[in-house]
Amino acid sequence: MKGDIFQAIADPTRRAILVLIAAQSMTPNALAEHFDTSRQAVSKHIKVLADCDLVKQNKVGREIHYYFNPVKMKEFDHWLTQFKKHWEDRFSQLDELLINLNSSPNEK
């Protein structure tokens, strides 16, 4: 069963894990060194991210390396884009209103 991507990225530790593995794949032990928490706790965070397909794994010998899945994040970015367009339109309207308000006193 797929996890909820919004729930996954709502946690600051999971967001930090995504930032770390976006630069390079890492093992749970290597990730745990960056946090003030146990390796088991980091593994639980990784499981949540993996359930959402935000991270993928690659087994190398006895170790599992986790890496960032940009395809899934691109889907999320695509969803956010619709709101970005909406807010850009609203800010443009606000800019026009403010320009009109500022120019009005000079015209009198």
mmCIF file of all heavy atoms in Angstrom, residues 3-22:
data_model
loop_
_atom_site.group_PDB
_atom_site.id
_atom_site.type_symbol
_atom_site.label_atom_id
_atom_site.label_comp_id
_atom_site.label_asym_id
_atom_site.label_seq_id
_atom_site.Cartn_x
_atom_site.Cartn_y
_atom_site.Cartn_z
ATOM 1 N N GLY A 3 2.028 5.053 0.646
ATOM 2 C CA GLY A 3 1.829 6.018 1.709
ATOM 3 C C GLY A 3 1.432 7.365 1.154
ATOM 4 O O GLY A 3 1.473 7.611 -0.045
ATOM 5 N N ASP A 4 1.061 8.224 2.049
ATOM 6 C CA ASP A 4 0.662 9.581 1.692
ATOM 7 C C ASP A 4 1.906 10.460 1.621
ATOM 8 O O ASP A 4 2.613 10.640 2.624
ATOM 9 C CB ASP A 4 -0.314 10.105 2.737
ATOM 10 C CG ASP A 4 -0.809 11.502 2.447
ATOM 11 O OD1 ASP A 4 -0.393 12.089 1.421
ATOM 12 O OD2 ASP A 4 -1.613 12.014 3.233
ATOM 13 N N ILE A 5 2.192 11.005 0.457
ATOM 14 C CA ILE A 5 3.395 11.806 0.263
ATOM 15 C C ILE A 5 3.377 13.053 1.146
ATOM 16 O O ILE A 5 4.413 13.477 1.653
ATOM 17 C CB ILE A 5 3.581 12.174 -1.225
ATOM 18 C CG1 ILE A 5 4.971 12.766 -1.465
ATOM 19 C CG2 ILE A 5 2.502 13.105 -1.700
ATOM 20 C CD1 ILE A 5 5.321 12.919 -2.920
ATOM 21 N N PHE A 6 2.217 13.635 1.374
ATOM 22 C CA PHE A 6 2.127 14.830 2.214
ATOM 23 C C PHE A 6 2.463 14.502 3.667
ATOM 24 O O PHE A 6 3.118 15.272 4.343
ATOM 25 C CB PHE A 6 0.741 15.455 2.110
ATOM 26 C CG PHE A 6 0.462 15.981 0.738
ATOM 27 C CD1 PHE A 6 -0.302 15.243 -0.145
ATOM 28 C CD2 PHE A 6 1.000 17.182 0.321
ATOM 29 C CE1 PHE A 6 -0.544 15.712 -1.423
ATOM 30 C CE2 PHE A 6 0.773 17.657 -0.954
ATOM 31 C CZ PHE A 6 -0.006 16.919 -1.826
ATOM 32 N N GLN A 7 2.000 13.365 4.111
ATOM 33 C CA GLN A 7 2.320 12.945 5.470
ATOM 34 C C GLN A 7 3.820 12.649 5.588
ATOM 35 O O GLN A 7 4.444 12.965 6.595
ATOM 36 C CB GLN A 7 1.508 11.706 5.839
ATOM 37 C CG GLN A 7 1.546 11.358 7.301
ATOM 38 C CD GLN A 7 0.590 10.231 7.630
ATOM 39 O OE1 GLN A 7 0.303 9.374 6.797
ATOM 40 N NE2 GLN A 7 0.094 10.237 8.837
ATOM 41 N N ALA A 8 4.381 12.086 4.534
ATOM 42 C CA ALA A 8 5.804 11.739 4.554
ATOM 43 C C ALA A 8 6.680 12.979 4.647
ATOM 44 O O ALA A 8 7.633 13.018 5.421
ATOM 45 C CB ALA A 8 6.163 10.929 3.317
ATOM 46 N N ILE A 9 6.372 14.000 3.881
ATOM 47 C CA ILE A 9 7.246 15.181 3.874
ATOM 48 C C ILE A 9 6.867 16.193 4.954
ATOM 49 O O ILE A 9 7.526 17.219 5.093
ATOM 50 C CB ILE A 9 7.289 15.860 2.486
ATOM 51 C CG1 ILE A 9 5.910 16.362 2.073
ATOM 52 C CG2 ILE A 9 7.884 14.925 1.455
ATOM 53 C CD1 ILE A 9 5.936 17.204 0.808
ATOM 54 N N ALA A 10 5.811 15.906 5.708
ATOM 55 C CA ALA A 10 5.421 16.808 6.801
ATOM 56 C C ALA A 10 6.429 16.764 7.950
ATOM 57 O O ALA A 10 6.554 17.731 8.697
ATOM 58 C CB ALA A 10 4.030 16.454 7.314
ATOM 59 N N ASP A 11 7.149 15.687 8.067
ATOM 60 C CA ASP A 11 8.098 15.525 9.163
ATOM 61 C C ASP A 11 9.451 16.149 8.789
ATOM 62 O O ASP A 11 10.012 15.831 7.738
ATOM 63 C CB ASP A 11 8.286 14.026 9.458
ATOM 64 C CG ASP A 11 9.160 13.804 10.663
ATOM 65 O OD1 ASP A 11 10.398 13.785 10.506
ATOM 66 O OD2 ASP A 11 8.599 13.670 11.768
ATOM 67 N N PRO A 12 10.004 17.027 9.650
ATOM 68 C CA PRO A 12 11.279 17.684 9.316
ATOM 69 C C PRO A 12 12.446 16.712 9.172
ATOM 70 O O PRO A 12 13.341 16.947 8.362
ATOM 71 C CB PRO A 12 11.504 18.664 10.469
ATOM 72 C CG PRO A 12 10.536 18.296 11.516
ATOM 73 C CD PRO A 12 9.432 17.504 10.897
ATOM 74 N N THR A 13 12.457 15.635 9.942
ATOM 75 C CA THR A 13 13.546 14.655 9.808
ATOM 76 C C THR A 13 13.499 13.986 8.441
ATOM 77 O O THR A 13 14.524 13.805 7.787
ATOM 78 C CB THR A 13 13.458 13.591 10.918
ATOM 79 O OG1 THR A 13 13.531 14.241 12.184
ATOM 80 C CG2 THR A 13 14.577 12.570 10.796
ATOM 81 N N ARG A 14 12.299 13.648 7.992
ATOM 82 C CA ARG A 14 12.180 13.003 6.662
ATOM 83 C C ARG A 14 12.574 13.978 5.555
ATOM 84 O O ARG A 14 13.203 13.584 4.574
ATOM 85 C CB ARG A 14 10.774 12.447 6.465
ATOM 86 C CG ARG A 14 10.513 11.216 7.345
ATOM 87 C CD ARG A 14 9.262 10.483 6.924
ATOM 88 N NE ARG A 14 8.056 11.120 7.356
ATOM 89 C CZ ARG A 14 7.412 10.851 8.491
ATOM 90 N NH1 ARG A 14 7.876 9.929 9.308
ATOM 91 N NH2 ARG A 14 6.302 11.476 8.805
ATOM 92 N N ARG A 15 12.222 15.242 5.716
ATOM 93 C CA ARG A 15 12.656 16.229 4.711
ATOM 94 C C ARG A 15 14.179 16.339 4.702
ATOM 95 O O ARG A 15 14.793 16.444 3.645
ATOM 96 C CB ARG A 15 12.009 17.591 4.982
ATOM 97 C CG ARG A 15 10.517 17.619 4.681
ATOM 98 C CD ARG A 15 9.982 19.044 4.656
ATOM 99 N NE ARG A 15 10.249 19.803 5.850
ATOM 100 C CZ ARG A 15 9.434 19.910 6.904
ATOM 101 N NH1 ARG A 15 8.268 19.285 6.886
ATOM 102 N NH2 ARG A 15 9.766 20.637 7.949
ATOM 103 N N ALA A 16 14.785 16.317 5.869
ATOM 104 C CA ALA A 16 16.251 16.391 5.948
ATOM 105 C C ALA A 16 16.882 15.147 5.313
ATOM 106 O O ALA A 16 17.918 15.245 4.646
ATOM 107 C CB ALA A 16 16.689 16.544 7.401
ATOM 108 N N ILE A 17 16.277 14.004 5.511
ATOM 109 C CA ILE A 17 16.785 12.774 4.884
ATOM 110 C C ILE A 17 16.727 12.909 3.367
ATOM 111 O O ILE A 17 17.678 12.545 2.667
ATOM 112 C CB ILE A 17 15.979 11.536 5.365
ATOM 113 C CG1 ILE A 17 16.325 11.218 6.824
ATOM 114 C CG2 ILE A 17 16.251 10.325 4.471
ATOM 115 C CD1 ILE A 17 15.432 10.168 7.458
ATOM 116 N N LEU A 18 15.641 13.448 2.853
ATOM 117 C CA LEU A 18 15.530 13.634 1.401
ATOM 118 C C LEU A 18 16.629 14.547 0.877
ATOM 119 O O LEU A 18 17.208 14.290 -0.179
ATOM 120 C CB LEU A 18 14.154 14.195 1.036
ATOM 121 C CG LEU A 18 12.982 13.236 1.146
ATOM 122 C CD1 LEU A 18 11.671 13.965 0.891
ATOM 123 C CD2 LEU A 18 13.132 12.072 0.192
ATOM 124 N N VAL A 19 16.919 15.606 1.621
ATOM 125 C CA VAL A 19 17.981 16.530 1.191
ATOM 126 C C VAL A 19 19.323 15.807 1.154
ATOM 127 O O VAL A 19 20.102 15.949 0.208
ATOM 128 C CB VAL A 19 18.040 17.760 2.122
ATOM 129 C CG1 VAL A 19 19.278 18.590 1.855
ATOM 130 C CG2 VAL A 19 16.786 18.604 1.955
ATOM 131 N N LEU A 20 19.583 15.004 2.184
ATOM 132 C CA LEU A 20 20.868 14.287 2.243
ATOM 133 C C LEU A 20 21.014 13.280 1.103
ATOM 134 O O LEU A 20 22.058 13.222 0.456
ATOM 135 C CB LEU A 20 21.010 13.578 3.589
ATOM 136 C CG LEU A 20 21.277 14.478 4.786
ATOM 137 C CD1 LEU A 20 21.120 13.693 6.080
ATOM 138 C CD2 LEU A 20 22.664 15.071 4.697
ATOM 139 N N ILE A 21 19.979 12.492 0.864
ATOM 140 C CA ILE A 21 20.130 11.447 -0.165
ATOM 141 C C ILE A 21 19.920 11.997 -1.571
ATOM 142 O O ILE A 21 20.199 11.296 -2.538
ATOM 143 C CB ILE A 21 19.217 10.234 0.092
ATOM 144 C CG1 ILE A 21 17.756 10.614 0.033
ATOM 145 C CG2 ILE A 21 19.582 9.557 1.396
ATOM 146 C CD1 ILE A 21 16.826 9.417 0.067
ATOM 147 N N ALA A 22 19.465 13.236 -1.679
ATOM 148 C CA ALA A 22 19.399 13.841 -3.013
ATOM 149 C C ALA A 22 20.807 14.108 -3.532
ATOM 150 O O ALA A 22 21.047 14.091 -4.734
ATOM 151 C CB ALA A 22 18.590 15.135 -2.972
#
